[in-house]
Amino acid sequence: MHGPSHLNQATQHRNPPTISVVIPAYNAVRFLPRCLASVFAQTRPPDEVIVVDDGSTDNTAAVAEQLGAKVVRRPNGGIAAARNTGIRSATGDWIALLDADDLWLPQKLERQAAAIRPDTVLVYTAVRHFDDHGIRFSGCAVHPSIARQLLRYSNPICPSTVLLERQATLAAGGFFEGASTCEDWALWVRLLPFGAFAAVDEPLIDYYVYPASLSASPERMLDGLKTILEPVLLAGFHGFERRLWRRRILATQHFSAAMIARENHLPGELGYIARSLRAWPSPVWQPRRFAAFIVTFKNKLLR
């Protein structure tokens, strides 16, 4: 590690570390009761719960206050700006992120706090995905050493699973406010030099997928990718290596867009896969893209 390790020495030696929860919320009245209920049900209670009202036009702020959260109000600026406002307002050594439409399982903070080591700056967990019909699937947390490699071209870490060391997060610049999506991916990449990542291989958050959610919009995901690609993901690469990684990232993310379209029954799946293969036409890199193309093409012919 070559980041400024002195930034978190004081907080790492505090036992136990203090934890502030930061929940960005925009017109989130529908979700806040169950979201905050999952926070206040933690077996390791947080020291502070902050809801950042990002210029809501409903009574998000009033509901959050009634449910026991501290509310910070700001003009609407998007999820990255709202998270940054919450992090700057927090008093805890660690920041536990939670999106207003997601939920935590009761042992989430307890299990993560136990995973903190002197050089840790980020702890994440596995995820369960659910929609209005129930649990879609439950995943595993990739090993931190693999996650650090994957972050070069994809994002294996869900924000609502993350516990961040506050001082390192501020030193890394916080969330990338120029991006409408992928702002979390940009922060994870910028945190890599500051210390170690740790994982709890247990699904401790329920991640809500619904038609209006960002995770169900491949085009918004790709728009966010365009914003962080050159200044963040390709930072430090030059010449041929930079061109190579640009094409690999684009190939990977267009394939991800195709899978989002497939899972959410959206149009454009075949087009996204075709763009992925044009960006990197060799089966040596992620050969499953070619298998998916064949399946998608056959399904289209059979319609």
Side-chain angles (χ1 to χ4, degrees), residues 121-138:
V121 294
L122 186 152
V123 186
Y124 58 95
T125 78
V127 183
R128 292 194 310 189
H129 291 243
F130 78 104
D131 57 21
D132 292 330
H133 303 289
I135 301 295
R136 281 189 174 191
F137 64 89
S138 182

Side-chain angles (χ1 to χ4, degrees), residues 253-285:
Q253 293 306 303
H254 278 101
F255 178 64
S256 294
M259 295 303 97
I260 292 171
R262 177 184 293 182
E263 291 166 9
N264 293 282
H265 309 292
L266 300 173
E269 178 185 342
L270 186 61
Y272 292 129
I273 296 181
R275 277 191 267 174
S276 172
L277 297 181
R278 282 198 300 269
W280 194 271
S282 170
V284 174
W285 179 260

Side-chain angles (χ1 to χ4, degrees), residues 202-281:
E202 184 178 340
L204 294 173
I205 82 132
D206 283 343
Y207 181 77
Y208 186 40
V209 180
Y210 58 104
S213 65
L214 292 179
S215 60
S217 175
E219 280 302 319
R220 292 184 72 178
M221 182 270 288
L222 291 172
D223 285 343
L225 173 67
K226 293 174 187 175
T227 307
I228 70 167
L229 180 61
E230 301 294 336
V232 180
L233 301 183
L234 295 175
F237 292 110
H238 304 281
F240 174 76
E241 189 178 31
R242 188 179 182 95
R243 292 194 297 274
L244 180 148
W245 277 106
R246 182 186 293 109
R247 293 173 70 89
R248 283 181 172 175
I249 293 167
L250 290 173
T252 302
Q253 293 306 303
H254 278 101
F255 178 64
S256 294
M259 295 303 97
I260 292 171
R262 177 184 293 182
E263 291 166 9
N264 293 282
H265 309 292
L266 300 173
E269 178 185 342
L270 186 61
Y272 292 129
I273 296 181
R275 277 191 267 174
S276 172
L277 297 181
R278 282 198 300 269
W280 194 271

Side-chain angles (χ1 to χ4, degrees), residues 32-255:
L32 275 176
R34 70 184 188 189
C35 172
L36 286 170
S38 76
V39 171
F40 291 121
Q42 290 295 297
T43 55
R44 192 286 188 201
D47 299 278
E48 181 179 43
V49 180
I50 298 172
V51 171
V52 181
D53 179 22
D54 189 34
S56 297
T57 57
D58 65 5
N59 59 339
T60 286
V63 169
E65 286 175 335
Q66 291 167 7
L67 293 171
K70 172 185 174 182
V71 174
V72 176
R73 294 170 174 83
R74 56 158 293 127
N76 181 256
I79 195 166
R83 288 189 185 127
N84 286 340
T85 297
I87 292 167
R88 288 191 295 266
S89 303
T91 60
D93 305 324
W94 290 80
I95 304 296
L97 299 172
L98 178 58
D99 290 347
D101 48 1
D102 296 335
L103 315 172
W104 285 344
L105 276 66
Q107 290 187 314
K108 193 261 187 187
L109 291 183
E110 179 183 355
R111 298 276 279 117
Q112 285 187 297
I116 295 172
R117 299 294 180 265
D119 62 343
T120 306
V121 294
L122 186 152
V123 186
Y124 58 95
T125 78
V127 183
R128 292 194 310 189
H129 291 243
F130 78 104
D131 57 21
D132 292 330
H133 303 289
I135 301 295
R136 281 189 174 191
F137 64 89
S138 182
C140 298
V142 299
H143 190 275
S145 63
I146 298 174
R148 295 179 78 93
Q149 297 173 28
L150 289 174
L151 282 168
R152 182 174 287 181
Y153 54 88
S154 65
N155 182 11
I157 301 173
C158 171
S160 289
T161 72
V162 167
L163 184 66
L164 292 167
E165 204 281 323
R166 182 173 178 271
Q167 291 301 320
T169 301
L170 292 172
F175 284 93
F176 195 88
E177 295 190 16
S180 59
T181 61
C182 300
E183 76 294 329
D184 52 328
W185 184 5
L187 176 57
W188 314 155
V189 170
R190 295 196 295 193
L191 272 172
L192 289 173
F194 284 83
F197 289 13
V200 178
D201 192 18
E202 184 178 340
L204 294 173
I205 82 132
D206 283 343
Y207 181 77
Y208 186 40
V209 180
Y210 58 104
S213 65
L214 292 179
S215 60
S217 175
E219 280 302 319
R220 292 184 72 178
M221 182 270 288
L222 291 172
D223 285 343
L225 173 67
K226 293 174 187 175
T227 307
I228 70 167
L229 180 61
E230 301 294 336
V232 180
L233 301 183
L234 295 175
F237 292 110
H238 304 281
F240 174 76
E241 189 178 31
R242 188 179 182 95
R243 292 194 297 274
L244 180 148
W245 277 106
R246 182 186 293 109
R247 293 173 70 89
R248 283 181 172 175
I249 293 167
L250 290 173
T252 302
Q253 293 306 303
H254 278 101
F255 178 64

